[in-house]
Amino acid sequence: MDYPLTKATRHTLPNGLTLILDPDPSAPVISVQAWVATGSIHEDKMLGTGLSHFLEHMVFKGTRDFSSDELAQAVQAGGGHWNAYTTFDRTVYYIDGPSHSLETFLKCLTGLVFFPTLPEADFGNEQDVIRREIDMGLDDPDNASIRLLLSTAFTVDARRHPVIGHRHLFDEISHADLVSYHRSRYTPDHTHIVISGDFDAAEARALVIAMTADCKIVSGPEPHIQRDPRQIGPRENTATFDIPTSRLCLSWKTPALDHPDTPAYDILAAILGRGRSSRLYTALRDRRELALEISAWTWNGPDEEGLFAISAEAEPEKRGELKAAILAELADLPASPLDEEIAKAKRQIAISQFRTLTSASGRASDLASNWHEARDLNYTRAYLAEINAVTAADIRRVSQLLTERRLTFTSLDPENFAHTAAVEEKTTTVEPVTTHTLSNGLRIALLPDHRVPLIHLQAAVGAGLLSETPVSNGLNQLLASTLTKGTLSRSAADIALSLETLGASIGASTGNNALLVSASGLAADLVSIIDIFADVIINPSFPSDAIEREKTSQLASLKEAQTDPLHTCFHQVRKTHFAGTGYGLDPLGSLQTLPEISRLDLSAHHALHFNASNTTLAISGDFNSTELIELLETHFSTLPEGEKWAPPASKVNPGKSAETTLPKKQAVLAIAYPGADVSSDDKHALAFINEYASDMAGPLFGRIREELGLAYRVGATQFLGYDQGLFTFYMATSPEQIGLATEELQKEIGKIASQGIPDEAFERVRSTVLSGAAIQQQSSSSNARHAALDLLFGNPADSYLLLPEIYQNLRVETVRETARRIFAVPPTVSTVLGEKA
């Protein structure tokens, strides 16, 4: 199946700016992205300072047309969801939202890139914010692991430095450095703008030309970019961190993106470590139990060496044996048959690329990346053709280049660990959501979507944290992780191999109120996918060896989570508010309860909850409804009718405080109030308040982060419960500033409690909430999840489609009354103090 030719057009404006236009009227949504070809590797004499990332932050302080507040308010009023990120070789700014806001979004983005004011008055505060961000990164094991890898694999290459910079070098940046760097790098000839979605191409082109008329090409030499000499010997580095398991990585340098071997490396990575039926996963995790997790990946770009890497997590004492086993698997690969695995890998890679076409944001990112890396809008199509041309001989050849002589090995270990050595466009119509009841009482929702030949199946089972007790805590998570590890007629390897050969997937997860099982793949494979999906739901075997493996992995995740300040703070506030029961339990379980959960416990929990009365299905994608209903009737007929589970009432104990200390460089605060249940009208008003409190244009961000520079992360979050949820304000700050930051957060909450959302901000919030719903509804998997859960909770399956009308009709007085009522009670407060508090 060929990747479709893009219908996007490219325009080079008189000032050198590249404009890429991709009109698509399938949804009233647009994505506007500006890619500036500058990143941390271009910082020249200031390499390692994080100058590019700092500039990305500072452009949001205002443009020639907007102050900082006006900029955020304009995006919010236009319904925009915006952000930015900096990598080694680019800085990207993007806004997704309703198509009628195109002009506003373009004005904001072109202002950010070409006309920021970079006010010196905000320089110091933003520098403090980034210092907090640097500290948070130093507390993160994932960040520490990748830093260790890159600083070991690269010795001279500019990518050995973190994008955010080193703290001691970051502190040396001056305001003049920022201004000079912007002037030399943020130029039209270094920039391309991509627009995808529902818009008029001629209008968009005229707008961009007018808005960038004052931009000129800036002549001058390109910065010197450091590159490594060829690696001719092995490299190794280890470090310790506050984690319970070892994180190791074996990596090799690979050629640049244009090299003919690059597609073969991508397929080799999929064969070795993409999915549960991959070689390393089945051999070293499932059979030999040397790894808790293992995967393989590639990273490359134009004109520079990349990496082929195998990443794994293991118990420290198994680290050395695992490394040797990985190398042995690589050595054995050339002599083994490869044709079936190559076909599976090609399908996996193709389907992941097809998924990018389902949203405006995905299409814009694909086009922008193609132009950035290859100057070819159809590069994805060309590269997939190269992928399809890879042979077994190619795989054998490149695998033999991965020798110990060229290996870079890194390991991040626990602190107490002793080291040892174009197709035609189909016309699509929107079909309504329909609901049906099978003969055994199973309720299903059908969501036809013929835009892309994909299918998504979603099951929701009434369970979640309220179905656990302090004695069975962690049961739902363990059941979810073992559910797909075998049935009465299929082994875990059979399931993984069957689905991944199709490029399909299956997975299970648990939340506050339900267990979720999902599967997806190509519509042509619907029969095969449903067969396995139903078998997993109805006939899981819960193999003892899989239970022990998943229990070990879950314990490792729990131990790591207990060292994370944000997780600890959120769990502590829930535990305090819900008196240590129900929603107050940790979804991962506890160190005491998890080891005691048995196969009998899992089977009994499954038998109690997985029945037709307590389960709903939603299927979205490209299918024929009549045929699908017949398939579902056939495959789910053996699911027992059963009884609907009645969740127990939550025990609440609001108004209490809890405090703990972790040896970290940050402090985290959470202030929580009783929230809405799944059927309450309050959830809509609280969605507005959540957006208002979390948005960059909101009071928490504006006052605490921007004006005072007290916190890098600040906002709000909520979850809905069967009978009561929780609405939480939170922030992460430095330990020495926790007192002042707490006072300021309480003041802002007090304003929201007494005034709700001010009149002048309300329509901006409404616009953002509305566009968020529109963006989310681009995703068929998201729609299926919402439909299945709404059916489970007794709401109409198409409730998610009614949200725009509900949000459009919500009045400021309703939100104000909800805020006064919800935030009138004494809150539950959780504080996690860092090492300097």
Side-chain angles (χ1 to χ4, degrees):
M1 187 177 296
D2 291 333
Y3 196 77
L5 281 165
T6 183
K7 295 178 179 170
T9 57
R10 177 179 59 84
H11 311 265
T12 302
L13 304 190
N15 58 7
L17 176 68
T18 298
L19 176 62
I20 299 167
L21 301 176
D22 178 41
D24 182 345
S26 60
V29 170
I30 53 170
S31 180
V32 184
Q33 303 187 8
W35 287 47
V36 186
T38 195
S40 61
I41 65 172
H42 300 102
E43 291 168 2
D44 209 16
K45 295 179 180 179
M46 300 196 70
L47 187 66
T49 62
L51 180 61
S52 302
H53 175 259
F54 193 3
L55 179 57
E56 174 219 312
H57 276 240
M58 281 295 293
V59 300
F60 285 93
K61 299 304 178 184
T63 69
R64 69 176 182 182
D65 298 307
F66 302 102
S67 68
S68 177
D69 289 343
E70 290 169 346
L71 189 63
Q73 290 168 6
V75 173
Q76 186 183 51
H81 298 259
W82 63 330
N83 214 326
Y85 64 88
T86 305
T87 71
F88 293 110
D89 66 350
R90 63 185 177 271
T91 307
V92 177
Y93 302 88
Y94 62 90
I95 307 178
D96 298 336
S99 51
H100 62 74
S101 297
L102 173 64
E103 183 171 358
T104 298
F105 295 165
L106 281 173
K107 190 172 185 179
C108 292
L109 272 191
T110 55
L112 287 171
V113 173
F114 299 119
F115 309 112
T117 54
L118 303 177
E120 191 166 6
D122 291 326
F123 181 85
N125 277 345
E126 198 59 31
Q127 206 166 24
D128 284 340
V129 167
I130 296 177
R131 290 185 181 111
R132 300 288 78 76
E133 187 179 356
I134 292 173
D135 286 344
M136 290 177 67
L138 295 175
D139 283 341
D140 181 4
D142 291 329
N143 182 282
S145 183
I146 195 67
R147 280 194 181 205
L148 181 65
L149 167 63
L150 296 181
S151 63
T152 306
F154 299 115
T155 58
V156 176
D157 193 296
R159 291 171 291 173
R160 72 189 188 276
H161 298 293
V163 172
I164 199 171
H166 302 285
R167 171 65 184 270
H168 66 286
L169 296 177
F170 171 78
D171 288 341
E172 297 177 2
I173 297 175
S174 69
H175 182 260
D177 294 328
L178 277 178
V179 173
S180 175
Y181 186 68
H182 176 268
R183 185 182 301 117
S184 64
R185 301 299 301 168
Y186 276 49
T187 61
D189 49 316
H190 286 130
T191 304
H192 56 283
I193 292 176
V194 182
I195 308 172
S196 181
D198 186 16
F199 68 96
D200 179 80
E203 176 191 0
R205 186 172 185 270
L207 285 171
V208 174
I209 290 174
M211 291 176 183
T212 63
D214 295 338
C215 299
K216 308 298 181 185
I217 295 177
V218 177
S219 61
E222 285 292 302
H224 171 66
I225 299 177
Q226 299 174 342
R227 299 293 189 205
D228 267 14
R230 180 175 174 81
Q231 181 176 338
I232 57 175
R235 297 173 186 172
E236 182 170 335
N237 202 359
T238 59
T240 59
F241 204 83
D242 182 18
I243 48 175
T245 57
S246 292
R247 299 186 179 197
L248 55 152
C249 188
L250 290 76
S251 69
W252 292 264
K253 299 283 185 61
T254 58
L257 192 60
D258 62 343
H259 194 279
D261 283 346
T262 299
Y265 280 113
D266 282 346
I267 290 183
L268 178 59
I271 290 172
L272 289 172
R274 183 169 181 163
R276 293 194 297 271
S277 66
S278 62
R279 287 199 175 208
L280 297 180
Y281 194 96
T282 55
L284 306 185
R285 185 187 188 275
D286 288 350
R287 289 202 296 269
R288 298 179 62 182
E289 299 186 1
L290 293 176
L292 297 172
E293 298 295 337
I294 191 164
S295 62
W297 49 275
T298 58
W299 175 52
N300 47 46
D303 304 321
E304 60 190 16
E305 285 187 311
L307 291 176
F308 177 96
I310 298 168
S311 298
E313 185 176 346
E315 295 169 352
E317 60 272 16
K318 296 181 180 179
R319 193 196 74 174
E321 187 180 358
L322 176 57
K323 175 187 175 185
I326 292 171
L327 293 172
E329 289 287 333
L330 276 174
D332 292 342
L333 183 140
S336 61
L338 293 169
D339 289 345
E340 290 186 4
E341 291 174 291
I342 291 173
K344 179 181 70 172
K346 289 178 179 179
R347 199 176 185 96
Q348 288 174 328
I349 293 169
I351 198 170
S352 68
Q353 290 296 332
F354 272 112
R355 287 194 175 107
T356 65
L357 301 179
T358 61
S359 69
S361 178
R363 293 189 299 272
S365 295
D366 182 55
L367 290 166
S369 177
N370 285 346
W371 186 252
H372 176 75
E373 295 180 348
R375 291 298 189 261
D376 176 10
L377 298 184
N378 282 298
Y379 180 70
T380 301
R381 176 183 169 91
Y383 191 68
L384 284 179
E386 293 177 4
I387 287 285
N388 285 330
V390 170
T391 66
D394 296 327
I395 300 300
R396 293 187 173 97
R397 184 185 69 257
V398 298
S399 69
Q400 291 172 324
L401 299 175
L402 306 180
T403 64
E404 289 192 67
R405 186 70 184 165
R406 299 179 61 236
L407 170 66
T408 295
F409 175 75
T410 59
S411 183
L412 190 69
D413 300 307
E415 290 180 338
N416 60 353
F417 179 67
H419 292 300
T420 59
V423 291
E424 285 191 10
E425 191 174 320
K426 292 199 297 185
T427 58
T428 59
T429 57
V430 178
E431 297 182 34
V433 176
T434 59
T435 57
H436 309 267
T437 303
L438 303 185
S439 59
N440 60 355
L442 181 64
R443 293 158 294 161
I444 63 174
L446 303 184
L447 294 70
D449 181 352
H450 304 293
R451 292 177 299 163
V452 180
L454 298 175
I455 191 80
H456 187 88
L457 295 89
Q458 180 71 65
V461 181
L465 282 174
L466 287 183
S467 68
E468 296 183 9
T469 70
V471 177
S472 64
N473 190 202
L475 177 61
N476 283 277
Q477 178 61 47
L478 187 58
L479 187 148
S481 61
T482 54
L483 191 69
T484 61
K485 297 301 187 290
T487 70
L488 299 180
S489 60
R490 291 177 169 95
S491 68
D494 292 336
I495 294 170
L497 181 59
S498 297
L499 288 175
E500 291 174 6
T501 299
L502 301 174
S505 63
I506 191 168
S509 61
T510 184
N512 294 304
N513 305 310
L515 276 157
L516 300 175
V517 187
S518 61
S520 63
L522 289 172
D525 301 320
L526 176 61
V527 175
S528 299
I529 295 170
I530 285 183
D531 186 40
I532 296 174
F533 181 66
D535 195 24
V536 164
I537 290 173
I538 300 171
N539 305 306
S541 58
F542 301 116
S544 298
D545 58 341
I547 293 173
E548 292 308 310
R549 282 196 302 271
E550 296 307 325
K551 194 180 290 187
T552 301
S553 183
Q554 190 169 328
L555 279 167
S557 297
L558 174 62
K559 292 174 183 177
E560 183 172 321
Q562 289 175 341
T563 68
D564 176 62
L566 200 62
H567 175 94
T568 300
C569 190
F570 282 147
H571 172 55
Q572 182 172 259
V573 79
R574 287 174 61 148
K575 179 179 179 182
T576 304
H577 183 85
F578 291 102
T581 63
Y583 297 128
L585 299 172
D586 192 320
L588 291 171
S590 74
L591 298 178
Q592 293 73 39
T593 60
L594 190 53
E596 302 302 319
I597 298 174
S598 68
R599 183 176 182 274
L600 183 60
D601 296 326
L602 294 174
S603 296
H605 199 64
H606 176 269
L608 176 64
H609 293 275
F610 280 67
N611 61 64
S613 298
N614 196 48
T615 302
T616 58
L617 295 182
I619 301 91
S620 63
D622 189 13
F623 57 79
N624 177 283
S625 296
T626 302
E627 294 174 358
L628 179 56
I629 293 172
E630 293 178 1
L631 275 173
L632 294 173
E633 184 69 57
T634 300
H635 285 84
F636 282 91
S637 61
T638 57
L639 183 68
E641 182 176 345
E643 295 182 358
K644 187 171 179 61
W645 170 70
S650 296
K651 296 179 182 178
V652 295
N653 187 25
K656 307 295 183 182
S657 296
E659 182 179 295
T660 191
T661 301
L662 289 177
K664 299 293 183 179
K665 299 180 183 297
Q666 57 181 306
V668 181
L669 170 72
I671 301 176
Y673 297 84
D677 64 67
V678 293
S679 299
S680 169
D681 289 338
D682 283 344
K683 65 185 179 183
H684 305 305
L686 288 177
F688 272 50
I689 296 172
N690 185 70
E691 174 61 36
Y692 176 61
S694 302
D695 195 88
M696 291 170 64
L700 273 59
F701 190 92
R703 172 63 178 169
I704 297 173
R705 186 191 185 280
E706 294 293 277
E707 186 176 338
L708 300 176
L710 290 175
Y712 173 69
R713 179 179 293 174
V714 62
T717 184
Q718 69 164 329
F719 77 85
L720 307 176
Y722 272 109
D723 52 358
Q724 182 188 114
L726 201 66
F727 191 99
T728 305
F729 299 92
Y730 66 91
M731 68 173 180
T733 185
S734 62
E736 60 270 19
Q737 292 180 312
I738 185 67
L740 177 59
T742 301
E743 291 179 13
E744 292 296 332
L745 180 59
Q746 290 171 332
K747 290 179 184 177
E748 295 303 323
I749 295 173
K751 294 176 186 177
I752 295 173
S754 61
Q755 305 168 16
I757 301 175
D759 293 347
E760 66 273 13
F762 192 78
E763 291 306 319
R764 297 198 308 269
V765 173
R766 188 200 306 278
S767 184
T768 308
V769 174
L770 281 168
S771 70
I775 291 171
Q776 193 173 61
Q777 287 171 20
Q778 293 182 101
S779 166
S780 61
S781 61
S782 173
N783 294 340
R785 184 172 62 254
H786 280 292
L789 287 170
D790 276 321
L791 267 186
L792 184 68
F793 299 145
N795 301 322
D798 61 353
S799 294
Y800 70 96
L801 293 175
L802 306 178
L803 288 176
E805 182 179 357
I806 292 171
Y807 292 151
Q808 193 64 60
N809 293 328
L810 193 62
R811 305 270 66 86
V812 65
E813 296 80 10
T814 304
V815 175
R816 189 168 294 146
E817 185 278 329
T818 302
R820 288 172 180 165
R821 175 164 40 83
I822 295 291
F823 305 136
V825 301
T828 302
V829 179
S830 169
T831 309
V832 176
L833 298 174
E835 59 189 6
K836 298 178 183 177

